[in-house]
Amino acid sequence: MKTAFQRRNIRLATLGLLSLFALSSALAQVDYHGGALTARQHGYQHGYRDGYESGRASPLSNRDQDIRNQRLQAQGNGYQPDFGSEMEYSQGYREGFDDGSRDSSNGVRSRLEELFRWQDPNFNPDRSRLDPADGIYRENHWTLEHIAGDIGYRDGVNAGIKDRQQRRSYQPRQSLAWRNGIHGFDPALGSRKAYRATYRTAYENGYRDGFGTAR
């Protein structure tokens, strides 16, 4: 038969588990609209971006294009130790590169939009300069260049998709997000100027992919 002390400890343990579950549920409900966080998914997204770039129409022959793609992959896949397993990241990168190159060559856009759409459809970096959801990047100790590049590209893709769907002209530098260039910036990362430059370049690349051919 359980003593009063044992029953009290059981109740406290149960309350602790319930509190932990409630906290986990609350965190899970926080709107997160950033990129992939696992090593393989992260590698896939980076590979897809590079592959999509390599697959754009060019005057190169198929053989020369294959050589160019091989050189691009050989230049390095952007891996950093803080991403997690290098093997998983590299495997994801190779798969993403091949898929991105194929989709770009074939004019397929669905996977690009699926990969880089904001997970929170109500998010708009033109209105939300300070985004609490971006803290996950800093917690993972990613570099300034990587954070600015990831966030800038994703913001640009979504802006390009929106302008294309609303039949607007090609105008990647007209958005407040591009002009501010600080979505995701934290002083602990380093230079605001360097962050803005990297963000804007990535934003324009993402916008081009999201919008399609400039009009």
Side-chain angles (χ1 to χ4, degrees), residues 49-65:
R49 284 168 53 179
D50 290 348
Y52 202 86
E53 168 71 24
S54 77
R56 287 199 185 92
S58 73
L60 299 176
S61 66
N62 290 338
R63 178 177 178 277
D64 288 341
Q65 184 66 40

Side-chain angles (χ1 to χ4, degrees), residues 1-15:
M1 186 173 181
K2 295 183 177 65
T3 65
F5 179 76
Q6 289 174 322
R7 288 195 297 272
R8 176 177 176 275
N9 284 344
I10 291 173
R11 286 197 301 271
L12 289 175
T14 301
L15 287 172

